[in-house]
Amino acid sequence: FLGEVVKNRKAVFEEDFVKFSGIVVLAFVVFFSFASTKLPNYPMPCYPFAAIVLGSYLSKIVTRTINIKKYPLYILLGILFILPIAGYLAIKQEAEAGYISWVALLLLVGPISFLFILSYWNAWPVFKKLIAILTGWSVFNIMALHTVYPLLYSQNPVQKTLPIVKKYPTIFSYEIYNPGYNFYLNTNIKRFYSVDSLQAAMVKNPSALIITRTDFAEALKPLNLKPIAQHHDLFESPTTILYVSRPQP
């Protein structure tokens, strides 16, 4: 709907709060477009403001200030068909989640519902069309956020190793580690940047757990540590690995 929002910007952005909402959305999108990694949750704080802009556009349609166009639905339909197919192919390539690639196909509920809406488009009044779009999109979001995403999220290294990590009262990290652990632990993760300082800490805390990436496995070889878990970070290049001290002979 962005094309129609821009095309009818004078009517959509009549009120100052809608203008402010548009600025917030633009600021977030531009800023995170330059981020080195791009994840869907980064611009989430601007979603409510995007909803206000879109809501202003839809309200103008209901009051017939703006005429509803059909082509945005065809664009949306194309996107909704691409999402499950692209999702299936992307998940299939993931070592950790490839076996559940089928879950992406559940998102086909979106394009199927919109095909149904388009088949009745000419027979329905404007308000009924908007309700139908809202219903179809809500079903799609419920499926995506309550089924697809949780199942996929459970395959990330943090979720897979948390039961192991929580057994250790002392947790160290070497160089870079997955920061997702910080949200689930009630203890600080002390970070080390040299093998010598980590070795000294391990002497004092021989039962500690070490979280790092496989990129640093070679550097840690002199410590003769035992790897107990290793999982690839979903849709990213690093692989998380957990180490403990080897039992003394």
Side-chain angles (χ1 to χ4, degrees), residues 201-227:
M202 290 299 292
V203 170
K204 296 179 181 178
N205 301 273
S207 61
L209 176 77
I210 302 168
I211 305 173
T212 186
R213 293 178 174 179
T214 52
D215 300 359
F216 308 109
E218 192 66 29
L220 294 175
K221 270 188 176 180
L223 301 187
N224 194 29
L225 300 171
K226 177 184 177 181

mmCIF file of all heavy atoms in Angstrom, residues 201-227:
data_model
loop_
_atom_site.group_PDB
_atom_site.id
_atom_site.type_symbol
_atom_site.label_atom_id
_atom_site.label_comp_id
_atom_site.label_asym_id
_atom_site.label_seq_id
_atom_site.Cartn_x
_atom_site.Cartn_y
_atom_site.Cartn_z
ATOM 1 N N ALA A 201 41.620 -17.969 34.814
ATOM 2 C CA ALA A 201 40.280 -18.022 35.399
ATOM 3 C C ALA A 201 39.791 -19.454 35.525
ATOM 4 O O ALA A 201 39.112 -19.806 36.497
ATOM 5 C CB ALA A 201 39.314 -17.206 34.543
ATOM 6 N N MET A 202 40.161 -20.305 34.552
ATOM 7 C CA MET A 202 39.736 -21.709 34.594
ATOM 8 C C MET A 202 40.441 -22.480 35.714
ATOM 9 O O MET A 202 39.883 -23.416 36.276
ATOM 10 C CB MET A 202 40.005 -22.382 33.257
ATOM 11 C CG MET A 202 39.112 -21.900 32.115
ATOM 12 S SD MET A 202 37.345 -22.211 32.405
ATOM 13 C CE MET A 202 37.296 -23.999 32.327
ATOM 14 N N VAL A 203 41.666 -22.074 36.028
ATOM 15 C CA VAL A 203 42.382 -22.702 37.144
ATOM 16 C C VAL A 203 41.644 -22.438 38.453
ATOM 17 O O VAL A 203 41.515 -23.317 39.312
ATOM 18 C CB VAL A 203 43.833 -22.183 37.215
ATOM 19 C CG1 VAL A 203 44.504 -22.648 38.512
ATOM 20 C CG2 VAL A 203 44.626 -22.646 36.009
ATOM 21 N N LYS A 204 41.127 -21.225 38.608
ATOM 22 C CA LYS A 204 40.380 -20.865 39.813
ATOM 23 C C LYS A 204 38.956 -21.409 39.789
ATOM 24 O O LYS A 204 38.343 -21.615 40.836
ATOM 25 C CB LYS A 204 40.348 -19.343 39.963
ATOM 26 C CG LYS A 204 41.711 -18.704 40.171
ATOM 27 C CD LYS A 204 41.586 -17.199 40.276
ATOM 28 C CE LYS A 204 42.943 -16.536 40.465
ATOM 29 N NZ LYS A 204 42.838 -15.053 40.534
ATOM 30 N N ASN A 205 38.417 -21.604 38.588
ATOM 31 C CA ASN A 205 37.030 -22.092 38.446
ATOM 32 C C ASN A 205 37.001 -23.264 37.466
ATOM 33 O O ASN A 205 36.526 -23.148 36.329
ATOM 34 C CB ASN A 205 36.121 -20.980 37.924
ATOM 35 C CG ASN A 205 36.106 -19.761 38.821
ATOM 36 O OD1 ASN A 205 35.335 -19.670 39.772
ATOM 37 N ND2 ASN A 205 36.967 -18.802 38.483
ATOM 38 N N PRO A 206 37.534 -24.422 37.869
ATOM 39 C CA PRO A 206 37.662 -25.557 36.944
ATOM 40 C C PRO A 206 36.326 -26.113 36.452
ATOM 41 O O PRO A 206 36.298 -26.817 35.443
ATOM 42 C CB PRO A 206 38.414 -26.597 37.773
ATOM 43 C CG PRO A 206 38.166 -26.212 39.194
ATOM 44 C CD PRO A 206 38.065 -24.725 39.204
ATOM 45 N N SER A 207 35.230 -25.794 37.140
ATOM 46 C CA SER A 207 33.920 -26.319 36.720
ATOM 47 C C SER A 207 33.123 -25.312 35.891
ATOM 48 O O SER A 207 31.935 -25.511 35.649
ATOM 49 C CB SER A 207 33.106 -26.725 37.956
ATOM 50 O OG SER A 207 32.884 -25.597 38.793
ATOM 51 N N ALA A 208 33.772 -24.236 35.457
ATOM 52 C CA ALA A 208 33.077 -23.197 34.698
ATOM 53 C C ALA A 208 32.771 -23.669 33.272
ATOM 54 O O ALA A 208 33.437 -24.559 32.732
ATOM 55 C CB ALA A 208 33.912 -21.923 34.657
ATOM 56 N N LEU A 209 31.783 -23.045 32.687
ATOM 57 C CA LEU A 209 31.411 -23.299 31.301
ATOM 58 C C LEU A 209 31.914 -22.137 30.446
ATOM 59 O O LEU A 209 31.848 -20.976 30.869
ATOM 60 C CB LEU A 209 29.893 -23.403 31.168
ATOM 61 C CG LEU A 209 29.334 -23.575 29.754
ATOM 62 C CD1 LEU A 209 29.528 -25.006 29.281
ATOM 63 C CD2 LEU A 209 27.856 -23.198 29.708
ATOM 64 N N ILE A 210 32.377 -22.434 29.236
ATOM 65 C CA ILE A 210 32.862 -21.399 28.322
ATOM 66 C C ILE A 210 31.984 -21.382 27.078
ATOM 67 O O ILE A 210 31.760 -22.417 26.439
ATOM 68 C CB ILE A 210 34.323 -21.653 27.903
ATOM 69 C CG1 ILE A 210 35.227 -21.714 29.138
ATOM 70 C CG2 ILE A 210 34.808 -20.557 26.949
ATOM 71 C CD1 ILE A 210 36.604 -22.233 28.847
ATOM 72 N N ILE A 211 31.477 -20.194 26.747
ATOM 73 C CA ILE A 211 30.683 -20.007 25.530
ATOM 74 C C ILE A 211 31.497 -19.186 24.544
ATOM 75 O O ILE A 211 32.005 -18.113 24.891
ATOM 76 C CB ILE A 211 29.358 -19.270 25.816
ATOM 77 C CG1 ILE A 211 28.552 -19.976 26.904
ATOM 78 C CG2 ILE A 211 28.526 -19.154 24.546
ATOM 79 C CD1 ILE A 211 27.308 -19.209 27.348
ATOM 80 N N THR A 212 31.615 -19.669 23.335
ATOM 81 C CA THR A 212 32.345 -18.921 22.312
ATOM 82 C C THR A 212 31.847 -19.357 20.931
ATOM 83 O O THR A 212 30.763 -19.928 20.807
ATOM 84 C CB THR A 212 33.866 -19.139 22.451
ATOM 85 O OG1 THR A 212 34.542 -18.287 21.535
ATOM 86 C CG2 THR A 212 34.253 -20.582 22.249
ATOM 87 N N ARG A 213 32.646 -19.090 19.907
ATOM 88 C CA ARG A 213 32.321 -19.506 18.548
ATOM 89 C C ARG A 213 33.403 -20.456 18.033
ATOM 90 O O ARG A 213 34.547 -20.414 18.498
ATOM 91 C CB ARG A 213 32.226 -18.289 17.621
ATOM 92 C CG ARG A 213 31.073 -17.358 17.931
ATOM 93 C CD ARG A 213 31.102 -16.160 16.991
ATOM 94 N NE ARG A 213 29.931 -15.304 17.166
ATOM 95 C CZ ARG A 213 29.722 -14.179 16.488
ATOM 96 N NH1 ARG A 213 30.613 -13.781 15.584
ATOM 97 N NH2 ARG A 213 28.643 -13.459 16.699
ATOM 98 N N THR A 214 33.051 -21.252 17.051
ATOM 99 C CA THR A 214 34.022 -22.191 16.488
ATOM 100 C C THR A 214 35.187 -21.455 15.822
ATOM 101 O O THR A 214 36.246 -22.053 15.614
ATOM 102 C CB THR A 214 33.345 -23.112 15.459
ATOM 103 O OG1 THR A 214 32.637 -22.315 14.495
ATOM 104 C CG2 THR A 214 32.361 -24.061 16.133
ATOM 105 N N ASP A 215 34.993 -20.174 15.498
ATOM 106 C CA ASP A 215 36.084 -19.377 14.911
ATOM 107 C C ASP A 215 37.306 -19.346 15.819
ATOM 108 O O ASP A 215 38.433 -19.162 15.344
ATOM 109 C CB ASP A 215 35.623 -17.931 14.674
ATOM 110 C CG ASP A 215 34.438 -17.847 13.733
ATOM 111 O OD1 ASP A 215 33.990 -18.890 13.251
ATOM 112 O OD2 ASP A 215 33.964 -16.734 13.479
ATOM 113 N N PHE A 216 37.076 -19.518 17.126
ATOM 114 C CA PHE A 216 38.165 -19.397 18.090
ATOM 115 C C PHE A 216 38.607 -20.754 18.645
ATOM 116 O O PHE A 216 39.372 -20.814 19.614
ATOM 117 C CB PHE A 216 37.740 -18.487 19.245
ATOM 118 C CG PHE A 216 37.186 -17.166 18.783
ATOM 119 C CD1 PHE A 216 35.834 -16.885 18.899
ATOM 120 C CD2 PHE A 216 38.015 -16.222 18.199
ATOM 121 C CE1 PHE A 216 35.319 -15.675 18.455
ATOM 122 C CE2 PHE A 216 37.510 -15.007 17.761
ATOM 123 C CZ PHE A 216 36.154 -14.736 17.871
ATOM 124 N N ALA A 217 38.135 -21.833 18.037
ATOM 125 C CA ALA A 217 38.477 -23.180 18.516
ATOM 126 C C ALA A 217 39.981 -23.428 18.450
ATOM 127 O O ALA A 217 40.563 -24.037 19.360
ATOM 128 C CB ALA A 217 37.724 -24.233 17.700
ATOM 129 N N GLU A 218 40.616 -22.965 17.386
ATOM 130 C CA GLU A 218 42.058 -23.183 17.222
ATOM 131 C C GLU A 218 42.837 -22.462 18.315
ATOM 132 O O GLU A 218 43.803 -23.004 18.861
ATOM 133 C CB GLU A 218 42.489 -22.679 15.841
ATOM 134 C CG GLU A 218 43.887 -23.109 15.422
ATOM 135 C CD GLU A 218 44.015 -24.609 15.204
ATOM 136 O OE1 GLU A 218 42.999 -25.249 14.839
ATOM 137 O OE2 GLU A 218 45.138 -25.132 15.423
ATOM 138 N N ALA A 219 42.421 -21.239 18.633
ATOM 139 C CA ALA A 219 43.127 -20.459 19.662
ATOM 140 C C ALA A 219 43.000 -21.104 21.040
ATOM 141 O O ALA A 219 43.902 -20.960 21.883
ATOM 142 C CB ALA A 219 42.568 -19.043 19.702
ATOM 143 N N LEU A 220 41.895 -21.813 21.276
ATOM 144 C CA LEU A 220 41.671 -22.421 22.596
ATOM 145 C C LEU A 220 42.255 -23.824 22.737
ATOM 146 O O LEU A 220 42.156 -24.423 23.813
ATOM 147 C CB LEU A 220 40.162 -22.469 22.883
ATOM 148 C CG LEU A 220 39.469 -21.105 23.044
ATOM 149 C CD1 LEU A 220 37.969 -21.289 23.210
ATOM 150 C CD2 LEU A 220 40.046 -20.333 24.221
ATOM 151 N N LYS A 221 42.838 -24.347 21.684
ATOM 152 C CA LYS A 221 43.392 -25.704 21.738
ATOM 153 C C LYS A 221 44.403 -25.915 22.867
ATOM 154 O O LYS A 221 44.427 -26.961 23.504
ATOM 155 C CB LYS A 221 44.021 -26.067 20.393
ATOM 156 C CG LYS A 221 43.046 -26.717 19.430
ATOM 157 C CD LYS A 221 43.771 -27.240 18.197
ATOM 158 C CE LYS A 221 42.780 -27.970 17.289
ATOM 159 N NZ LYS A 221 43.463 -28.496 16.073
ATOM 160 N N PRO A 222 45.275 -24.940 23.151
ATOM 161 C CA PRO A 222 46.252 -25.136 24.237
ATOM 162 C C PRO A 222 45.613 -25.403 25.604
ATOM 163 O O PRO A 222 46.272 -25.951 26.491
ATOM 164 C CB PRO A 222 47.034 -23.817 24.244
ATOM 165 C CG PRO A 222 46.890 -23.280 22.860
ATOM 166 C CD PRO A 222 45.517 -23.674 22.432
ATOM 167 N N LEU A 223 44.362 -25.008 25.796
ATOM 168 C CA LEU A 223 43.698 -25.204 27.083
ATOM 169 C C LEU A 223 43.154 -26.611 27.243
ATOM 170 O O LEU A 223 42.711 -26.987 28.341
ATOM 171 C CB LEU A 223 42.554 -24.192 27.245
ATOM 172 C CG LEU A 223 42.930 -22.708 27.180
ATOM 173 C CD1 LEU A 223 41.722 -21.845 27.532
ATOM 174 C CD2 LEU A 223 44.095 -22.404 28.109
ATOM 175 N N ASN A 224 43.177 -27.402 26.166
ATOM 176 C CA ASN A 224 42.717 -28.792 26.211
ATOM 177 C C ASN A 224 41.294 -28.901 26.799
ATOM 178 O O ASN A 224 41.024 -29.683 27.702
ATOM 179 C CB ASN A 224 43.686 -29.651 27.044
ATOM 180 C CG ASN A 224 43.450 -31.140 26.827
ATOM 181 O OD1 ASN A 224 43.004 -31.558 25.756
ATOM 182 N ND2 ASN A 224 43.716 -31.936 27.854
ATOM 183 N N LEU A 225 40.408 -28.076 26.278
ATOM 184 C CA LEU A 225 39.019 -28.057 26.741
ATOM 185 C C LEU A 225 38.197 -29.131 26.029
ATOM 186 O O LEU A 225 38.548 -29.593 24.940
ATOM 187 C CB LEU A 225 38.391 -26.686 26.489
ATOM 188 C CG LEU A 225 39.076 -25.506 27.176
ATOM 189 C CD1 LEU A 225 38.489 -24.190 26.669
ATOM 190 C CD2 LEU A 225 38.924 -25.613 28.696
ATOM 191 N N LYS A 226 37.082 -29.482 26.649
ATOM 192 C CA LYS A 226 36.197 -30.498 26.078
ATOM 193 C C LYS A 226 34.938 -29.831 25.517
ATOM 194 O O LYS A 226 34.184 -29.194 26.249
ATOM 195 C CB LYS A 226 35.801 -31.502 27.151
ATOM 196 C CG LYS A 226 34.824 -32.568 26.658
ATOM 197 C CD LYS A 226 34.409 -33.475 27.799
ATOM 198 C CE LYS A 226 33.375 -34.492 27.321
ATOM 199 N NZ LYS A 226 32.935 -35.372 28.440
ATOM 200 N N PRO A 227 34.673 -29.931 24.207
ATOM 201 C CA PRO A 227 33.436 -29.372 23.647
ATOM 202 C C PRO A 227 32.236 -30.241 24.028
ATOM 203 O O PRO A 227 32.289 -31.464 23.888
ATOM 204 C CB PRO A 227 33.684 -29.402 22.137
ATOM 205 C CG PRO A 227 34.697 -30.490 21.937
ATOM 206 C CD PRO A 227 35.535 -30.531 23.182
#
